[in-house]
Amino acid sequence: MVEHDALSATRDAYDAVAPEYAQLFRAELHDRPLDRAMLGAFAEAVSASGDGQVADLGCGPGHITFYLDELGLAVFGVDASPAMVESARQAYPGLQFDVGSMAALNIADGELGGVLSRWSIIHTPPQELPAVLGEFHRVLAPGGHLLIGFSASDDPSHPTQVFDHAVAPAYRWSPDHLAAMLRKSGLAEVARMVREPQPTDRRQFQEVQLLARKA
């Protein structure tokens, strides 16, 4: 019940701010060259491994889904918030967007060449994250790649830390701890990028992106 309530609360919170969120983040990659580089590396890794479909899980208003499409990937978006999905469909009518939960994806085993989870796990209660990572592993084909982004915790001795996200309760993660969780799920780390906070950033957290591969 706790997990169901957390998902419902997060979905409802994002439904309420969908138009503002879309406006705020639509151009976020313009001044983020490192993020663009990681997305480009992810796209190349997927293409080199067989060029299968890619799911942008927690796609929000669809702007990153669209960016991956422009990089040449066969990509679709999934989000728990119906309002976010509707916003994405209106902004990018040529792409597919579906309502769904990362913990129970309506995707066949081994169907995908890639999974993008860009700051979408931050609202997942820590006790539920292994099941979500297990879903990522399940839907990836052998050799498929996952790119997962999140905010880092300050203290490596504490695997998770709660923080005051503007929309819904959220968690930061120790990068090494999350990489270990990926390994337990059958996803081996290939590379990581750690971005230090800029002086103008509202939250002075490190941002981490891990690229992992299914054996």
Side-chain angles (χ1 to χ4, degrees), residues 153-179:
S153 61
D154 296 325
D155 186 350
S157 67
H158 290 82
T160 63
Q161 290 177 283
V162 177
F163 73 94
D164 60 336
H165 192 276
V167 179
Y171 305 88
R172 296 189 280 157
W173 295 87
S174 159
D176 288 341
H177 178 75
L178 191 46

Side-chain angles (χ1 to χ4, degrees), residues 27-52:
E28 71 163 318
L29 289 178
H30 288 180
D31 60 352
R32 285 180 166 257
L34 295 177
D35 287 32
R36 295 196 304 270
M38 284 300 292
L39 290 167
F42 169 68
E44 288 191 30
V46 170
S47 297
S49 298
D51 213 18

Side-chain angles (χ1 to χ4, degrees), residues 65-140:
T65 318
F66 176 70
Y67 186 78
L68 292 179
D69 175 72
E70 292 206 309
L71 290 179
L73 296 179
V75 61
F76 63 95
V78 178
D79 201 277
S81 163
M84 285 290 190
V85 168
E86 182 58 30
S87 177
R89 288 171 176 168
Q90 290 181 7
Y92 310 106
L95 297 177
Q96 176 186 339
F97 296 97
D98 300 312
V99 177
S101 167
M102 294 189 300
L105 294 164
N106 186 26
I107 300 171
D109 294 358
E111 184 174 329
L112 302 179
V115 166
L116 176 67
S117 171
R118 184 178 168 83
W119 275 263
S120 55
I121 64 162
I122 64 170
H123 301 300
T124 302
Q127 67 272 21
E128 287 299 295
L129 188 57
V132 170
L133 298 181
E135 275 290 271
F136 294 171
H137 178 273
R138 180 185 69 79
V139 299
L140 279 170

